[in-house]
Amino acid sequence: MFHYTVSTNKTVEQAIVDLTENLKKEQFGVLWQLDMKEKLHEKDVELNMQYHILEVCNPNEAQKVLSENPLVGYFLPCKLAVYDEGGSTKIGMPKPTALIGLVENEELMKIASDIEQRLITCIDISR
């Protein structure tokens, strides 16, 4: 699977707060947060669900992967989504290994695997 997604009983808002705190422990900062429902509403398009996209980055890891291959910048920053679906809050992301696998570089795959596990840990403890 290209993604990792979990469900939580938390509200979307609380899941975002907890996720942001847990990301800090792994030196990931939230660079930007998009409230997709609000953004679409500004364009007179209605979305009947909460959907937030967080773009996160660990500067040291970004430097490593960009130094190895600048094309990896196409996948940066990492994206996490927090949204409601059927009365449940979901937290998920595209797996860094799925994206980096497209570059076919063993060293980058090791770095992506480490980042993926750290992000999964952040997601899991944010449930």
Side-chain angles (χ1 to χ4, degrees), residues 17-61:
V17 168
D18 293 349
L19 183 58
T20 300
E21 284 303 310
N22 292 320
L23 288 164
K24 287 179 188 175
K25 295 173 187 170
E26 290 292 336
Q27 288 85 46
F28 283 90
V30 176
L31 302 175
W32 186 63
Q33 181 180 334
L34 172 65
D35 180 339
M36 188 64 97
K37 182 175 184 171
E38 181 61 31
K39 184 54 73 178
L40 291 176
H41 179 73
E42 290 173 11
K43 308 293 182 194
D44 295 322
V45 176
E46 297 304 318
L47 180 65
N48 295 323
M49 63 190 296
Q50 292 185 67
Y51 203 104
H52 295 261
I53 300 169
L54 286 70
E55 292 195 339
V56 305
C57 182
N58 177 309
N60 293 318
E61 300 298 347

mmCIF file of all heavy atoms in Angstrom, residues 17-61:
data_model
loop_
_atom_site.group_PDB
_atom_site.id
_atom_site.type_symbol
_atom_site.label_atom_id
_atom_site.label_comp_id
_atom_site.label_asym_id
_atom_site.label_seq_id
_atom_site.Cartn_x
_atom_site.Cartn_y
_atom_site.Cartn_z
ATOM 1 N N VAL A 17 -3.683 18.705 17.087
ATOM 2 C CA VAL A 17 -2.883 19.215 18.214
ATOM 3 C C VAL A 17 -1.922 18.138 18.702
ATOM 4 O O VAL A 17 -0.724 18.379 18.868
ATOM 5 C CB VAL A 17 -3.807 19.701 19.362
ATOM 6 C CG1 VAL A 17 -3.012 19.949 20.638
ATOM 7 C CG2 VAL A 17 -4.562 20.950 18.951
ATOM 8 N N ASP A 18 -2.431 16.933 18.931
ATOM 9 C CA ASP A 18 -1.590 15.843 19.435
ATOM 10 C C ASP A 18 -0.520 15.452 18.422
ATOM 11 O O ASP A 18 0.645 15.220 18.783
ATOM 12 C CB ASP A 18 -2.451 14.632 19.794
ATOM 13 C CG ASP A 18 -3.357 14.895 20.983
ATOM 14 O OD1 ASP A 18 -3.184 15.927 21.674
ATOM 15 O OD2 ASP A 18 -4.256 14.070 21.227
ATOM 16 N N LEU A 19 -0.896 15.384 17.153
ATOM 17 C CA LEU A 19 0.061 15.023 16.115
ATOM 18 C C LEU A 19 1.180 16.053 16.028
ATOM 19 O O LEU A 19 2.359 15.700 15.949
ATOM 20 C CB LEU A 19 -0.661 14.896 14.765
ATOM 21 C CG LEU A 19 0.168 14.468 13.572
ATOM 22 C CD1 LEU A 19 0.830 13.109 13.810
ATOM 23 C CD2 LEU A 19 -0.706 14.432 12.323
ATOM 24 N N THR A 20 0.829 17.318 16.079
ATOM 25 C CA THR A 20 1.834 18.386 16.016
ATOM 26 C C THR A 20 2.825 18.264 17.169
ATOM 27 O O THR A 20 4.041 18.396 16.961
ATOM 28 C CB THR A 20 1.133 19.764 16.039
ATOM 29 O OG1 THR A 20 0.263 19.859 14.901
ATOM 30 C CG2 THR A 20 2.144 20.896 15.987
ATOM 31 N N GLU A 21 2.334 17.990 18.361
ATOM 32 C CA GLU A 21 3.216 17.825 19.528
ATOM 33 C C GLU A 21 4.125 16.614 19.371
ATOM 34 O O GLU A 21 5.311 16.679 19.687
ATOM 35 C CB GLU A 21 2.397 17.712 20.815
ATOM 36 C CG GLU A 21 1.853 19.030 21.296
ATOM 37 C CD GLU A 21 2.944 20.074 21.534
ATOM 38 O OE1 GLU A 21 3.935 19.772 22.224
ATOM 39 O OE2 GLU A 21 2.807 21.190 20.998
ATOM 40 N N ASN A 22 3.581 15.515 18.893
ATOM 41 C CA ASN A 22 4.379 14.303 18.731
ATOM 42 C C ASN A 22 5.405 14.444 17.614
ATOM 43 O O ASN A 22 6.501 13.887 17.707
ATOM 44 C CB ASN A 22 3.464 13.099 18.506
ATOM 45 C CG ASN A 22 2.674 12.772 19.754
ATOM 46 O OD1 ASN A 22 3.202 12.830 20.864
ATOM 47 N ND2 ASN A 22 1.406 12.462 19.598
ATOM 48 N N LEU A 23 5.086 15.188 16.588
ATOM 49 C CA LEU A 23 6.050 15.445 15.513
ATOM 50 C C LEU A 23 7.250 16.231 16.030
ATOM 51 O O LEU A 23 8.389 15.968 15.632
ATOM 52 C CB LEU A 23 5.381 16.199 14.364
ATOM 53 C CG LEU A 23 4.410 15.391 13.512
ATOM 54 C CD1 LEU A 23 3.540 16.312 12.678
ATOM 55 C CD2 LEU A 23 5.166 14.407 12.631
ATOM 56 N N LYS A 24 7.004 17.180 16.925
ATOM 57 C CA LYS A 24 8.099 17.978 17.500
ATOM 58 C C LYS A 24 9.126 17.093 18.189
ATOM 59 O O LYS A 24 10.325 17.373 18.140
ATOM 60 C CB LYS A 24 7.552 18.995 18.505
ATOM 61 C CG LYS A 24 6.833 20.155 17.878
ATOM 62 C CD LYS A 24 6.313 21.087 18.958
ATOM 63 C CE LYS A 24 5.416 22.152 18.379
ATOM 64 N NZ LYS A 24 4.805 22.982 19.426
ATOM 65 N N LYS A 25 8.671 16.021 18.819
ATOM 66 C CA LYS A 25 9.580 15.108 19.525
ATOM 67 C C LYS A 25 10.542 14.412 18.563
ATOM 68 O O LYS A 25 11.601 13.959 18.968
ATOM 69 C CB LYS A 25 8.781 14.081 20.315
ATOM 70 C CG LYS A 25 7.973 14.704 21.436
ATOM 71 C CD LYS A 25 7.056 13.703 22.085
ATOM 72 C CE LYS A 25 6.144 14.406 23.083
ATOM 73 N NZ LYS A 25 5.073 13.536 23.566
ATOM 74 N N GLU A 26 10.155 14.332 17.295
ATOM 75 C CA GLU A 26 11.011 13.738 16.260
ATOM 76 C C GLU A 26 11.661 14.810 15.392
ATOM 77 O O GLU A 26 12.124 14.532 14.298
ATOM 78 C CB GLU A 26 10.193 12.781 15.394
ATOM 79 C CG GLU A 26 9.763 11.516 16.098
ATOM 80 C CD GLU A 26 10.920 10.588 16.423
ATOM 81 O OE1 GLU A 26 11.975 10.652 15.744
ATOM 82 O OE2 GLU A 26 10.769 9.791 17.352
ATOM 83 N N GLN A 27 11.657 16.044 15.880
ATOM 84 C CA GLN A 27 12.241 17.203 15.194
ATOM 85 C C GLN A 27 11.569 17.520 13.854
ATOM 86 O O GLN A 27 12.196 18.058 12.948
ATOM 87 C CB GLN A 27 13.752 17.059 14.990
ATOM 88 C CG GLN A 27 14.558 17.204 16.261
ATOM 89 C CD GLN A 27 14.669 15.903 17.027
ATOM 90 O OE1 GLN A 27 14.939 14.868 16.448
ATOM 91 N NE2 GLN A 27 14.458 15.957 18.322
ATOM 92 N N PHE A 28 10.287 17.173 13.727
ATOM 93 C CA PHE A 28 9.503 17.553 12.560
ATOM 94 C C PHE A 28 8.660 18.759 12.933
ATOM 95 O O PHE A 28 7.982 18.758 13.960
ATOM 96 C CB PHE A 28 8.565 16.424 12.111
ATOM 97 C CG PHE A 28 9.251 15.321 11.371
ATOM 98 C CD1 PHE A 28 9.769 14.232 12.059
ATOM 99 C CD2 PHE A 28 9.371 15.355 9.985
ATOM 100 C CE1 PHE A 28 10.401 13.208 11.388
ATOM 101 C CE2 PHE A 28 10.003 14.335 9.310
ATOM 102 C CZ PHE A 28 10.525 13.257 10.007
ATOM 103 N N GLY A 29 8.719 19.773 12.102
ATOM 104 C CA GLY A 29 7.881 20.942 12.314
ATOM 105 C C GLY A 29 6.795 21.005 11.252
ATOM 106 O O GLY A 29 6.981 20.535 10.133
ATOM 107 N N VAL A 30 5.664 21.574 11.622
ATOM 108 C CA VAL A 30 4.591 21.789 10.655
ATOM 109 C C VAL A 30 4.885 23.102 9.937
ATOM 110 O O VAL A 30 4.873 24.164 10.543
ATOM 111 C CB VAL A 30 3.205 21.821 11.331
ATOM 112 C CG1 VAL A 30 2.112 22.136 10.309
ATOM 113 C CG2 VAL A 30 2.910 20.501 12.040
ATOM 114 N N LEU A 31 5.206 23.001 8.668
ATOM 115 C CA LEU A 31 5.521 24.178 7.869
ATOM 116 C C LEU A 31 4.267 24.933 7.462
ATOM 117 O O LEU A 31 4.274 26.147 7.319
ATOM 118 C CB LEU A 31 6.282 23.769 6.603
ATOM 119 C CG LEU A 31 7.577 23.002 6.808
ATOM 120 C CD1 LEU A 31 8.134 22.571 5.464
ATOM 121 C CD2 LEU A 31 8.574 23.844 7.571
ATOM 122 N N TRP A 32 3.199 24.158 7.252
ATOM 123 C CA TRP A 32 1.989 24.742 6.714
ATOM 124 C C TRP A 32 0.845 23.786 6.981
ATOM 125 O O TRP A 32 1.023 22.566 6.974
ATOM 126 C CB TRP A 32 2.184 24.936 5.217
ATOM 127 C CG TRP A 32 1.102 25.659 4.499
ATOM 128 C CD1 TRP A 32 0.708 26.947 4.687
ATOM 129 C CD2 TRP A 32 0.291 25.139 3.454
ATOM 130 N NE1 TRP A 32 -0.296 27.260 3.809
ATOM 131 C CE2 TRP A 32 -0.576 26.157 3.041
ATOM 132 C CE3 TRP A 32 0.207 23.908 2.819
ATOM 133 C CZ2 TRP A 32 -1.518 25.994 2.031
ATOM 134 C CZ3 TRP A 32 -0.717 23.746 1.812
ATOM 135 C CH2 TRP A 32 -1.562 24.785 1.422
ATOM 136 N N GLN A 33 -0.330 24.338 7.225
ATOM 137 C CA GLN A 33 -1.521 23.525 7.405
ATOM 138 C C GLN A 33 -2.633 24.080 6.530
ATOM 139 O O GLN A 33 -2.947 25.269 6.589
ATOM 140 C CB GLN A 33 -1.965 23.526 8.864
ATOM 141 C CG GLN A 33 -3.198 22.677 9.095
ATOM 142 C CD GLN A 33 -3.647 22.682 10.538
ATOM 143 O OE1 GLN A 33 -2.852 22.885 11.439
ATOM 144 N NE2 GLN A 33 -4.911 22.463 10.751
ATOM 145 N N LEU A 34 -3.203 23.231 5.714
ATOM 146 C CA LEU A 34 -4.279 23.616 4.812
ATOM 147 C C LEU A 34 -5.591 23.038 5.317
ATOM 148 O O LEU A 34 -5.716 21.828 5.499
ATOM 149 C CB LEU A 34 -3.989 23.092 3.397
ATOM 150 C CG LEU A 34 -5.113 23.248 2.371
ATOM 151 C CD1 LEU A 34 -5.394 24.724 2.097
ATOM 152 C CD2 LEU A 34 -4.764 22.521 1.089
ATOM 153 N N ASP A 35 -6.557 23.908 5.552
ATOM 154 C CA ASP A 35 -7.925 23.494 5.861
ATOM 155 C C ASP A 35 -8.644 23.430 4.522
ATOM 156 O O ASP A 35 -9.081 24.448 3.987
ATOM 157 C CB ASP A 35 -8.572 24.499 6.814
ATOM 158 C CG ASP A 35 -10.000 24.149 7.178
ATOM 159 O OD1 ASP A 35 -10.654 23.379 6.438
ATOM 160 O OD2 ASP A 35 -10.471 24.671 8.203
ATOM 161 N N MET A 36 -8.724 22.248 3.958
ATOM 162 C CA MET A 36 -9.260 22.076 2.617
ATOM 163 C C MET A 36 -10.734 22.493 2.533
ATOM 164 O O MET A 36 -11.148 23.123 1.560
ATOM 165 C CB MET A 36 -9.099 20.619 2.171
ATOM 166 C CG MET A 36 -9.450 20.415 0.719
ATOM 167 S SD MET A 36 -8.349 21.317 -0.392
ATOM 168 C CE MET A 36 -7.224 20.026 -0.793
ATOM 169 N N LYS A 37 -11.509 22.186 3.554
ATOM 170 C CA LYS A 37 -12.918 22.568 3.552
ATOM 171 C C LYS A 37 -13.051 24.090 3.464
ATOM 172 O O LYS A 37 -13.841 24.613 2.666
ATOM 173 C CB LYS A 37 -13.614 22.046 4.807
ATOM 174 C CG LYS A 37 -15.079 22.351 4.857
ATOM 175 C CD LYS A 37 -15.732 21.705 6.075
ATOM 176 C CE LYS A 37 -17.231 21.957 6.054
ATOM 177 N NZ LYS A 37 -17.910 21.178 7.080
ATOM 178 N N GLU A 38 -12.282 24.813 4.278
ATOM 179 C CA GLU A 38 -12.327 26.273 4.272
ATOM 180 C C GLU A 38 -11.826 26.845 2.950
ATOM 181 O O GLU A 38 -12.414 27.783 2.397
ATOM 182 C CB GLU A 38 -11.507 26.830 5.435
ATOM 183 C CG GLU A 38 -11.511 28.335 5.514
ATOM 184 C CD GLU A 38 -12.896 28.930 5.723
ATOM 185 O OE1 GLU A 38 -13.756 28.288 6.354
ATOM 186 O OE2 GLU A 38 -13.125 30.057 5.225
ATOM 187 N N LYS A 39 -10.737 26.293 2.435
ATOM 188 C CA LYS A 39 -10.171 26.793 1.175
ATOM 189 C C LYS A 39 -11.157 26.601 0.024
ATOM 190 O O LYS A 39 -11.341 27.506 -0.799
ATOM 191 C CB LYS A 39 -8.849 26.081 0.869
ATOM 192 C CG LYS A 39 -8.131 26.589 -0.353
ATOM 193 C CD LYS A 39 -7.882 28.085 -0.366
ATOM 194 C CE LYS A 39 -6.814 28.511 0.587
ATOM 195 N NZ LYS A 39 -6.550 29.976 0.527
ATOM 196 N N LEU A 40 -11.812 25.461 -0.036
ATOM 197 C CA LEU A 40 -12.794 25.228 -1.091
ATOM 198 C C LEU A 40 -14.002 26.148 -0.923
ATOM 199 O O LEU A 40 -14.549 26.657 -1.902
ATOM 200 C CB LEU A 40 -13.220 23.760 -1.109
ATOM 201 C CG LEU A 40 -12.146 22.769 -1.564
ATOM 202 C CD1 LEU A 40 -12.658 21.341 -1.454
ATOM 203 C CD2 LEU A 40 -11.660 23.059 -2.976
ATOM 204 N N HIS A 41 -14.404 26.358 0.331
ATOM 205 C CA HIS A 41 -15.526 27.259 0.614
ATOM 206 C C HIS A 41 -15.231 28.669 0.082
ATOM 207 O O HIS A 41 -16.116 29.331 -0.455
ATOM 208 C CB HIS A 41 -15.821 27.290 2.117
ATOM 209 C CG HIS A 41 -16.934 28.206 2.492
ATOM 210 N ND1 HIS A 41 -18.256 27.911 2.230
ATOM 211 C CD2 HIS A 41 -16.922 29.425 3.086
ATOM 212 C CE1 HIS A 41 -19.011 28.911 2.648
ATOM 213 N NE2 HIS A 41 -18.220 29.845 3.172
ATOM 214 N N GLU A 42 -13.987 29.116 0.234
ATOM 215 C CA GLU A 42 -13.583 30.423 -0.305
ATOM 216 C C GLU A 42 -13.790 30.500 -1.816
ATOM 217 O O GLU A 42 -13.966 31.580 -2.370
ATOM 218 C CB GLU A 42 -12.107 30.696 0.000
ATOM 219 C CG GLU A 42 -11.799 30.957 1.442
ATOM 220 C CD GLU A 42 -10.296 31.057 1.697
ATOM 221 O OE1 GLU A 42 -9.501 31.122 0.728
ATOM 222 O OE2 GLU A 42 -9.916 31.049 2.882
ATOM 223 N N LYS A 43 -13.767 29.351 -2.466
ATOM 224 C CA LYS A 43 -13.933 29.278 -3.920
ATOM 225 C C LYS A 43 -15.366 28.890 -4.302
ATOM 226 O O LYS A 43 -15.627 28.487 -5.436
ATOM 227 C CB LYS A 43 -12.962 28.245 -4.526
ATOM 228 C CG LYS A 43 -11.515 28.443 -4.117
ATOM 229 C CD LYS A 43 -10.948 29.707 -4.685
ATOM 230 C CE LYS A 43 -9.478 29.826 -4.293
ATOM 231 N NZ LYS A 43 -8.942 31.133 -4.521
ATOM 232 N N ASP A 44 -16.267 28.978 -3.319
ATOM 233 C CA ASP A 44 -17.688 28.632 -3.514
ATOM 234 C C ASP A 44 -17.905 27.170 -3.875
ATOM 235 O O ASP A 44 -18.818 26.831 -4.632
ATOM 236 C CB ASP A 44 -18.344 29.549 -4.558
ATOM 237 C CG ASP A 44 -18.404 30.991 -4.097
ATOM 238 O OD1 ASP A 44 -18.648 31.218 -2.887
ATOM 239 O OD2 ASP A 44 -18.192 31.886 -4.934
ATOM 240 N N VAL A 45 -17.053 26.318 -3.344
ATOM 241 C CA VAL A 45 -17.195 24.873 -3.501
ATOM 242 C C VAL A 45 -17.321 24.290 -2.101
ATOM 243 O O VAL A 45 -16.515 24.607 -1.224
ATOM 244 C CB VAL A 45 -15.978 24.254 -4.234
ATOM 245 C CG1 VAL A 45 -16.088 22.754 -4.300
ATOM 246 C CG2 VAL A 45 -15.822 24.865 -5.622
ATOM 247 N N GLU A 46 -18.331 23.467 -1.890
ATOM 248 C CA GLU A 46 -18.562 22.914 -0.554
ATOM 249 C C GLU A 46 -18.030 21.491 -0.445
ATOM 250 O O GLU A 46 -18.252 20.661 -1.322
ATOM 251 C CB GLU A 46 -20.049 22.953 -0.205
ATOM 252 C CG GLU A 46 -20.623 24.353 -0.133
ATOM 253 C CD GLU A 46 -19.891 25.272 0.848
ATOM 254 O OE1 GLU A 46 -19.545 24.830 1.954
ATOM 255 O OE2 GLU A 46 -19.658 26.450 0.481
ATOM 256 N N LEU A 47 -17.326 21.234 0.624
ATOM 257 C CA LEU A 47 -16.835 19.905 0.968
ATOM 258 C C LEU A 47 -17.539 19.512 2.257
ATOM 259 O O LEU A 47 -17.481 20.246 3.249
ATOM 260 C CB LEU A 47 -15.307 19.933 1.166
ATOM 261 C CG LEU A 47 -14.641 18.614 1.525
ATOM 262 C CD1 LEU A 47 -14.787 17.609 0.376
ATOM 263 C CD2 LEU A 47 -13.157 18.842 1.827
ATOM 264 N N ASN A 48 -18.197 18.385 2.270
ATOM 265 C CA ASN A 48 -19.003 17.972 3.413
ATOM 266 C C ASN A 48 -18.229 17.140 4.415
ATOM 267 O O ASN A 48 -18.761 16.188 4.987
ATOM 268 C CB ASN A 48 -20.251 17.219 2.934
ATOM 269 C CG ASN A 48 -21.176 18.109 2.141
ATOM 270 O OD1 ASN A 48 -21.322 19.286 2.456
ATOM 271 N ND2 ASN A 48 -21.774 17.573 1.101
ATOM 272 N N MET A 49 -16.977 17.487 4.605
ATOM 273 C CA MET A 49 -16.148 16.802 5.598
ATOM 274 C C MET A 49 -15.003 17.729 5.979
ATOM 275 O O MET A 49 -14.635 18.616 5.217
ATOM 276 C CB MET A 49 -15.581 15.492 5.032
ATOM 277 C CG MET A 49 -14.647 15.700 3.855
ATOM 278 S SD MET A 49 -14.147 14.216 2.944
ATOM 279 C CE MET A 49 -13.246 13.310 4.140
ATOM 280 N N GLN A 50 -14.486 17.524 7.176
ATOM 281 C CA GLN A 50 -13.272 18.234 7.557
ATOM 282 C C GLN A 50 -12.095 17.514 6.927
ATOM 283 O O GLN A 50 -12.025 16.288 6.961
ATOM 284 C CB GLN A 50 -13.104 18.233 9.076
ATOM 285 C CG GLN A 50 -14.136 19.044 9.822
ATOM 286 C CD GLN A 50 -13.783 19.066 11.294
ATOM 287 O OE1 GLN A 50 -12.785 19.643 11.692
ATOM 288 N NE2 GLN A 50 -14.612 18.402 12.090
ATOM 289 N N TYR A 51 -11.175 18.266 6.356
ATOM 290 C CA TYR A 51 -9.993 17.664 5.740
ATOM 291 C C TYR A 51 -8.841 18.656 5.854
ATOM 292 O O TYR A 51 -8.886 19.739 5.290
ATOM 293 C CB TYR A 51 -10.241 17.337 4.259
ATOM 294 C CG TYR A 51 -9.315 16.265 3.739
ATOM 295 C CD1 TYR A 51 -9.781 14.976 3.542
ATOM 296 C CD2 TYR A 51 -7.977 16.531 3.474
ATOM 297 C CE1 TYR A 51 -8.932 13.980 3.077
ATOM 298 C CE2 TYR A 51 -7.124 15.546 3.019
ATOM 299 C CZ TYR A 51 -7.607 14.272 2.832
ATOM 300 O OH TYR A 51 -6.775 13.287 2.389
ATOM 301 N N HIS A 52 -7.829 18.264 6.623
ATOM 302 C CA HIS A 52 -6.659 19.110 6.839
ATOM 303 C C HIS A 52 -5.426 18.401 6.312
ATOM 304 O O HIS A 52 -5.257 17.192 6.521
ATOM 305 C CB HIS A 52 -6.469 19.395 8.332
ATOM 306 C CG HIS A 52 -7.578 20.205 8.914
ATOM 307 N ND1 HIS A 52 -7.481 21.558 9.112
ATOM 308 C CD2 HIS A 52 -8.818 19.856 9.318
ATOM 309 C CE1 HIS A 52 -8.610 22.001 9.627
ATOM 310 N NE2 HIS A 52 -9.442 20.989 9.764
ATOM 311 N N ILE A 53 -4.577 19.156 5.655
ATOM 312 C CA ILE A 53 -3.304 18.634 5.164
ATOM 313 C C ILE A 53 -2.198 19.399 5.879
ATOM 314 O O ILE A 53 -2.176 20.627 5.860
ATOM 315 C CB ILE A 53 -3.171 18.798 3.646
ATOM 316 C CG1 ILE A 53 -4.294 18.037 2.938
ATOM 317 C CG2 ILE A 53 -1.790 18.322 3.176
ATOM 318 C CD1 ILE A 53 -4.418 18.342 1.463
ATOM 319 N N LEU A 54 -1.315 18.652 6.535
ATOM 320 C CA LEU A 54 -0.170 19.237 7.216
ATOM 321 C C LEU A 54 1.077 18.909 6.416
ATOM 322 O O LEU A 54 1.305 17.738 6.081
ATOM 323 C CB LEU A 54 -0.018 18.675 8.628
ATOM 324 C CG LEU A 54 -1.000 19.146 9.694
ATOM 325 C CD1 LEU A 54 -2.389 18.594 9.449
ATOM 326 C CD2 LEU A 54 -0.513 18.725 11.054
ATOM 327 N N GLU A 55 1.845 19.916 6.098
ATOM 328 C CA GLU A 55 3.128 19.693 5.445
ATOM 329 C C GLU A 55 4.188 19.797 6.529
ATOM 330 O O GLU A 55 4.292 20.826 7.212
ATOM 331 C CB GLU A 55 3.353 20.704 4.333
ATOM 332 C CG GLU A 55 2.396 20.488 3.190
ATOM 333 C CD GLU A 55 2.796 21.208 1.922
ATOM 334 O OE1 GLU A 55 3.571 22.170 1.983
ATOM 335 O OE2 GLU A 55 2.331 20.771 0.861
ATOM 336 N N VAL A 56 4.948 18.719 6.704
ATOM 337 C CA VAL A 56 5.913 18.647 7.798
ATOM 338 C C VAL A 56 7.310 18.388 7.264
ATOM 339 O O VAL A 56 7.486 17.793 6.202
ATOM 340 C CB VAL A 56 5.517 17.569 8.840
ATOM 341 C CG1 VAL A 56 4.105 17.811 9.352
ATOM 342 C CG2 VAL A 56 5.627 16.171 8.283
ATOM 343 N N CYS A 57 8.294 18.862 8.046
ATOM 344 C CA CYS A 57 9.678 18.708 7.608
ATOM 345 C C CYS A 57 10.603 18.586 8.815
ATOM 346 O O CYS A 57 10.411 19.260 9.823
ATOM 347 C CB CYS A 57 10.082 19.921 6.775
ATOM 348 S SG CYS A 57 11.762 19.826 6.125
ATOM 349 N N ASN A 58 11.585 17.726 8.665
ATOM 350 C CA ASN A 58 12.713 17.645 9.581
ATOM 351 C C ASN A 58 13.888 18.184 8.768
ATOM 352 O O ASN A 58 14.303 17.557 7.788
ATOM 353 C CB ASN A 58 12.952 16.198 10.017
ATOM 354 C CG ASN A 58 14.156 16.042 10.905
ATOM 355 O OD1 ASN A 58 15.238 16.517 10.575
ATOM 356 N ND2 ASN A 58 13.986 15.343 12.004
ATOM 357 N N PRO A 59 14.410 19.374 9.112
ATOM 358 C CA PRO A 59 15.431 19.999 8.267
ATOM 359 C C PRO A 59 16.667 19.150 8.028
ATOM 360 O O PRO A 59 17.223 19.149 6.917
ATOM 361 C CB PRO A 59 15.790 21.286 9.006
ATOM 362 C CG PRO A 59 14.860 21.421 10.138
ATOM 363 C CD PRO A 59 14.082 20.163 10.282
ATOM 364 N N ASN A 60 17.110 18.425 9.037
ATOM 365 C CA ASN A 60 18.305 17.588 8.869
ATOM 366 C C ASN A 60 18.059 16.465 7.870
ATOM 367 O O ASN A 60 18.929 16.160 7.041
ATOM 368 C CB ASN A 60 18.756 17.017 10.215
ATOM 369 C CG ASN A 60 19.248 18.099 11.149
ATOM 370 O OD1 ASN A 60 19.954 19.011 10.737
ATOM 371 N ND2 ASN A 60 18.857 18.027 12.409
ATOM 372 N N GLU A 61 16.879 15.864 7.945
ATOM 373 C CA GLU A 61 16.558 14.784 7.004
ATOM 374 C C GLU A 61 16.380 15.344 5.595
ATOM 375 O O GLU A 61 16.804 14.725 4.619
ATOM 376 C CB GLU A 61 15.302 14.039 7.453
ATOM 377 C CG GLU A 61 15.394 13.398 8.824
ATOM 378 C CD GLU A 61 16.473 12.334 8.944
ATOM 379 O OE1 GLU A 61 17.030 11.874 7.917
ATOM 380 O OE2 GLU A 61 16.780 11.942 10.085
#
